[in-house]
Amino acid sequence: MSILALANLSIAWRKFLAKRLTLTLGAGILLLFFLIAVGAPVIAPYDPILQNGDVRLQAPSLLHPFGTDNFGRDILSRVIWGARIDLQIAIIGVLFPFVIGTTVGTFAGFFGGIADTLIMRLVDIILAFPFLVLMLSIIAILGPGLSSFYIAMALVGWVSYARLIRAQMLVLKNSDYAVAAVSLGFSRPRIMFRHLLPNAIAGSIVFSMSDAVLVLLGGAAVSYLGLGVQPPVAEWGVMVAEGQSFITTAWWITLFPGLSIVCLAFGFSMVGDGLGEMLGMHE
Amino acid sequence: AGVLTIGRREDSTTFDPIKSAQNVDNWVFSNVFDVLIRVDRTGTKLEPGLAESWTISDDGLIYTFKIRDAKFSDGSPITAADAAFSLLRIRDNEGSLWSDSYKIVDTAEATDDKTLVVKLKTPSAPFLSTLALPNVSVLSKKALEEAGEEAFAELPTAASGAFTVKEWRRGDRVILEKNPNFWQADRVKLDGVEWISVPDDNTRMLNVQAGQLDTAIFVPFSRVEELKKDPNLTVHSDTSTREDHLLINHEHGALGNKDVRQALDMAIDKKAIVDTVTFGIGEVANSYVPKGSLYHYADNYQYPYDPEKAKAMLAEAGASDLMLDYVVNAGNEVDEQIAVLLQQQLQKAGVTVNLQKVDPSQSWDMLVAGDYDISVMYWTNDILDPDQKTTFVLGHDTNMNYMTRYKNDKIKNLVAAARLELDPKKREDMYIEVQTTAKNDVHWIDLYYSPYINISRKNIENFYQNPLGRFFLEDTVKN
Amino acid sequence: MSAPVLSVRNLKVDVHLDSGVRSLIDGISLDLGKGEILGLVGESGSGKSLFCRALVRLLPSSLMKVESGSIKLEGRELTEISDPEMLQVRGGEIGMIFQNPSSHLDPVMKIGGQIAEGIRYHQGLNARDARAAAIEIMTQVGFSDPVSQYDSYPHEFSGGMRQRAMIGVALSCNPKILIADEPTTALDVTIQAQILRLLMEIRDQRGLSIIVITHDLGIVAQTCDRIAVMRRGKLMEEGPKRTILSRPQNPYTINLVNSHPSMPDTTAPTQTAAAKLANPVKPLLEIDDLHVRFPAGGGILRGSTAKTISAVSGVSLQIMPAETVGIVGESGSGKSTLARAVLGLTPISSGHVTFDGTDIAQQKHAGLTKLRREAAMVFQDPYNALNPRLTIGQMLAEVLKVQGKFAARDIPTRIDELLDLVGLERDFANRKPKSMSGGQCQRAGIARALAVDPKLIIADECVAALDVTIQAQIIDLFRDLARKMNLTLIFIAHDLAIVRNLCERVVVMYRGEVVEEGRSEELFARPKHPYTAALIAAIPDIDPDKPLVTGANTGPAGPIKSVKRIP
Amino acid sequence: MHRYKFVLTRPLQFLPVLFGISVITFILVRLIPGDPARNLLGTRATPTAIANIRAQYGLDQPMWLQYFYFLKNLANGEMGKSILYKIDVLKLIATRIEPTTALVIASVILSIAIAVPMAAIAARNEGRAPDHAIRILSTFGIGFPPFWIGLMLMMLFSLELGLLPVSGYGSTIGEKLVHLILPSLTVALSLSTVLTRSLRAAMIESLKSDVATAARARGMPERIVFWRHVVPNSLVPTINLLAVNIGWLIGGTVVVESVFAVPGMGQLLVRAIFSRDYMVVQGVAMVFAGATVLVNFLADIITVAVDPRVRL
Ligand SMILES: Nc1ncnc2c1ncn2[C@@H]1O[C@H](COP(=O)(O)OP(=O)(O)OP(=O)(O)O)[C@@H](O)[C@H]1O
Ligand SMILES: Nc1ncnc2c1ncn2[C@@H]1O[C@H](COP(=O)(O)OP(=O)(O)OP(=O)(O)O)[C@@H](O)[C@H]1O
Ligand SMILES: [Mg+2]
Ligand SMILES: [Mg+2]
């Protein structure tokens, strides 16, 4: 490749950056967290679960940039390892609801009728159901742990996607190109999945990014009530919750994991905004 | 003078003493209802309450109480009939949570207004102690029947204690007012008391720091050091009967082996737990009978912390790759911290621990079902006598020795005998034997004792509770 | 011409994009005399709207800038005044009427309120006086019951009434100049005629100066005094209406004038039709007493208290093979519904549709399969009818694959053929609808219809959104195709001029019924039904000497009586 | 009015939802491991005492029979008796319903009061510094958990400045209002971020809409264009977002109630769940669900009132 081509490429890239600043910035943040998560064993200065009675509750210092907790564990290392769990929570916690909700919403919106009515009533019920009762009971029934949390999230979370997609489907299935597809003798699955779904899904993709934030917070809320990730695993929500008894004496225990949640959330919402701009949601 | 405000975690659930077994309720009952016999401030002696004096027949079956001249808050006299009614009610009432504890009572009769005669089915050394329980407080038969049980439980119309219930704002606070008809009314300095529910620990402390509450109870260990520095506050540390211990399921594989249990005991650094979890406030426990309680054996054996030896013992017992399921109570900060700590300590002895955090109700189920290997629980005494706890923990009773499934017939017989032994000296010896045997068997692992920690503003004096938890608000002064 | 009210000199507007600066208005100079109506014509994207917005500093994007030039309003230089002063100019001096009243009227504010708003702001009247003044204006623009209509919301009115309201809003500030940006494109001919007449009346009453933007030369011919022709941001030609229409100088203008469909057509397609009629055959499509009803209340815009809406009621038609039939009628008369019902895209309430001998209601499966393989539809809105995520090539390939008439190997060649057929370059196969102009999309839509290799094509208002030059191209294309491939064509439109040009037979629909049907030249020459007559009379002719006739001239929004009233 | 016909018919659609919720809560709470009787008895529970309590509350009956009684009670307007508090569930809820309702309403009002100006500033400065600042700020609002925000507010306003009470609820209206400021601010800080985002997007769209252009073209100053045309046209999607979020909001008060010691239903619910007080969990869930349904209904009415085009 010639120098000229490279220069052109970099100009194009810069233009893309300027245009998609939000998206790029958001994706950059997410990528950073991803790298941190992947590189945790290398980056983290200490073992995240190793307790050290000699350095309990130490304020941030050169040795421990984020300080230590009441077991003398290094907060920085825990925050770094926490990225693994929290990214996983955000991704899996969104993926399942997304897939389930999208599928259900597509069918309900496209076919309508009794199935649609039943599904929408179910959606109403879940929406009206106190989230906490549902969450706590599902976790209690399934036993504690991340997988229960995912299942609970999926059982509750699909509703939003189903609603979004269904609403889009109702509009799109009467659109001219859907009618055109019918008039051309296309099969229903083809119309649903090849023609309508790709056009209906943009809103859900954008929403999934803010949903990721909500899932992270849901995790934190469940942790506050004591049913989060099992100790001694480092997870930001749990760290924040555990640190609450030290808020007045050792602020660093809550602040750094809290800030990490904020940054990750910020990354996700930037990507969401960026995708929205790109997919022409706000126009 | 003045109204004392006390911040606590949860609000009361009822004012019918027989229908609750929770400290939140009992501690308020003690302010509102008086008992025949009280436990003193040190928690080691009984002292007269509404019963001025009492005699016990030689066979230990018949108790005769002389009821003091006292009035309910509505002005009616407190009679032996009321006392008999209350005692029989806790035994017979359908809604009573305590009937099992009073099944030993055969009859209770008021022979006259001031004389109550109670006949037991069998002799019982701890019986007098059980009369000090707030749940068996003396209620006014007339008031209760006039108001109806439910209404009375909402807002008692007659109080026998230092205060009457003026208002109960559910979920928020219980408002008590001085009872002018209380027999020790001149002892009471406060005009009233408000028990206010502030669930969040930080918020509760902040309320006292900001001067919006006079006192707060349940101070987290982690906050003590800092609160002591606040010039406006006094931090109180009152001896309690609380003991935290590690339950072991004796029915699970290697855990049935005494050597393995002893190894586990040696693998645990209790001092480190005291330092980390209680911030040095607690004290390493050496017996299931808490320090300062009746018949506590101070010289009981204490396993040394020796992870190497523990490892060797485990290997010898063929349990070198021991894997244990540890049920942790979610939402309990202290429990979770102990779990994290123990996990690492046991690791050093080659024991792998899986933490299973579940909510407290569920952990009960798992413990009862034997669905666990180890788990940390705690116990506080309701009565002064060690019999209650001993029976539950070692009496081979219906609860499988507090879910440990520990079996030792010698202990079983000893516990039963001690209950009947009326001679204090002999009883003490028996309890020492129980304590040493249990320790040797490692029925569970004693971890630490911890005090009640409360804070109050500097203008509050004489705010304290006895080891059984009773707050002596009749002595409290608000300046 | 008296001293111009508005005088624009050498106006330049640029847009500053990442990719560089593009000139959108390139040195335009124009004068507008007092009481004059100036017609601004030109193809889509030529900068007509932009020019007018530049006058009042309302450019649609922050990336655009007026680079140079002067705009003098009665001697005052508008490019130099401050923003607050400009607020007074907008509305107060220059009023705007927009193309699409549905989107420019505030849907959540009462019509009267929107008119009164400008009055209160510009004339400082109190609420009561403003209301009175607004009612006065509403009367002027032809509201029949302004006092009660004052409190109605835009959605409660028909398109024509909304456009009147829009004019009322513009008049409310009592401007000296009125700019009407394509004021009638969304309306059908009869309403269009009423609105144009209204504009002229207002000019006469108030002595306003008006700029009318349009792409329809007929409108210009009927209403304007002077014409300015724009193309690609430049002024092509400008002058008195008659001069431009009769002796256009610029080649673009010549093309524009020549492609106007109302020009007498010498190559009438009648011979072929006559030839076909000589040997009668079985009809390809037979519609017998067709009814389509919709549950009421579903239509948000037309909600009524009736239980159902009869969109099509009792239509019977026979279409012969290779025939070209036009269906005309005002908006909402049921044309699209009829088309959709015929193709089985909307459930039929009663009646029969027989396609090539198969009753599609009775033999549903067989009928629909046959229909889907042999009939195709071209949709009204070129953008919406194409899946935005597929390239034209992918779209055509999919149709060909599903129809299965070609081997997979031959599909690429066939796509090229189809693109050639509709006059698109072959590399359009790789483009998505977003990057194409309306006309190009329309061609792609036609290519898709042809990909089915149909016997019957139903084209639903497929040229309404396009400008005349492209319209003409597409009409030619259809004519060609009909001839070459022996197609049967049903052509739906509300533009009668086009239908007259293209179709052998015309069907006139009114409120769901067929009110008249006949051979084109006959029907246009001697309409039997008064509604047909009104429709024909309302076509703005490019000949300025054929005056514009508002529908039956029954005053504002006068309804035209149907012969048979529908209940 | 015809447009409001749904006001009469819509409530019928609530019934299946409420019925569904009753079934699900009923089954769900009973599936959670744990025993209300043991909870009540605490550490000293003996099997006989447990059996005794289970019998008293009918927990020893087969599940379907329990549900039948539950429905029968419900038909009589009763919801059973709390195991923990020993009183009628409805009576219990009645004592707790006011603080939660007040908290939710105050939070909603406060979040709107925060969200509207924030969104307005952001939308009118789209792509410029204030817009970015507000978007970053609003991410902080959701990133930090309410108990953290709540505590910070308390330390600032109560401990340092001594302006507001730390926690609690009060008994007079004035006291209650003062007590509600901090908790509702805490909820509002997170809720308003969601609203701000949605409102900002809607406003940006509206600002570029033909309606705004038309208003500008008739010489309306930007202020009038914004408040009279852009804002009303941006409200509907936000109202619906709020309605959808109301369930979450009501649930979200749980944490805030316990942080600020507000004696509301959230606290009641948590305590009931943890002590397996089935009847109370059922009752509160039904009330929450009813409230959610009601709010959505209100949102429908508001939507119809705000946007004359909408019919339901
Ligand atoms: N927001 C915008 N950003 C960039 N370019 C624009 C924008 N709006 C319009 N343009 C460009 O400005 C040019 C002139 O547009 P304008 O709207 O004036 O056309 P027009 O003559 O009114 O066309 P039409 O008949 O389709 O309304 C077009 O090339 C168009 O692509
Ligand atoms: N899905 C539907 N539900 C309810 N009413 C409908 C529906 N589709 C069409 N209508 C109504 O049926 C009538 C005929 O509509 P149709 O679209 O066929 O008119 P059209 O002649 O094609 O008008 P246009 O020229 O505006 O395209 C109208 O009153 C319309 O409101
Ligand atoms: Mg234009
Ligand atoms: Mg149509």
Side-chain angles (χ1 to χ4, degrees), chain D residues 77-97:
Chain D
E78 287 166 23
M79 281 183 179
K81 216 169 166 179
S82 161
I83 303 174
L84 183 61
Y85 297 94
K86 286 115 203 148
I87 65 166
D88 198 70
V89 170
L90 272 182
K91 213 163 138 191
L92 188 63
I93 289 175
T95 62
R96 300 292 202 95
I97 205 161

Side-chain angles (χ1 to χ4, degrees), chain D residues 206-222:
Chain D
S206 266
L207 269 171
K208 292 178 180 161
S209 73
D210 291 346
V211 170
T213 310
R216 288 186 196 113
R218 70 183 97 117
M220 295 297 129
E222 206 51 34

Side-chain angles (χ1 to χ4, degrees), chain B residues 396-413:
Chain B
H396 294 65
D397 212 348
T398 44
N399 71 347
M400 303 159 284
N401 279 341
Y402 211 61
M403 285 80 76
T404 58
R405 284 116 173 119
Y406 167 52
K407 283 199 187 68
N408 182 340
D409 285 339
K410 188 176 142 212
I411 286 247
K412 180 180 173 183
N413 298 332

Side-chain angles (χ1 to χ4, degrees), chain B residues 94 100 203 359 361 380 382, chain D residues 39 44 46 56 259 274 276:
Chain B
E94 212 199 359
D100 283 347
T203 311
D359 97 285
S361 275
T380 53
D382 298 319
Chain D
N39 250 292
R44 294 94 179 113
T46 59
Q56 257 183 66
V259 169
F274 283 131
R276 306 290 188 268

Side-chain angles (χ1 to χ4, degrees), chain A residues 13 31 47 124 129 181 210 215 218 237 242 245 248 258:
Chain A
W13 172 239
L31 187 72
D47 180 343
D124 286 347
F129 210 93
S210 31
V215 168
E242 283 173 352
S245 33
T248 49

Side-chain angles (χ1 to χ4, degrees), chain C residues 16-36:
Chain C
H16 299 257
L17 299 168
D18 306 334
S19 45
V21 179
R22 203 153 58 89
S23 179
L24 296 178
I25 303 282
D26 193 4
I28 289 196
S29 303
L30 259 184
D31 286 328
L32 180 67
K34 186 159 171 54
E36 184 184 49

Side-chain angles (χ1 to χ4, degrees), chain C residues 331-332 334-337 380 460-461 492:
Chain C
S331 185
K335 307 181 294 288
S336 299
T337 310
Q380 173 167 5
D460 187 359
E461 314 215 21
I492 298 175

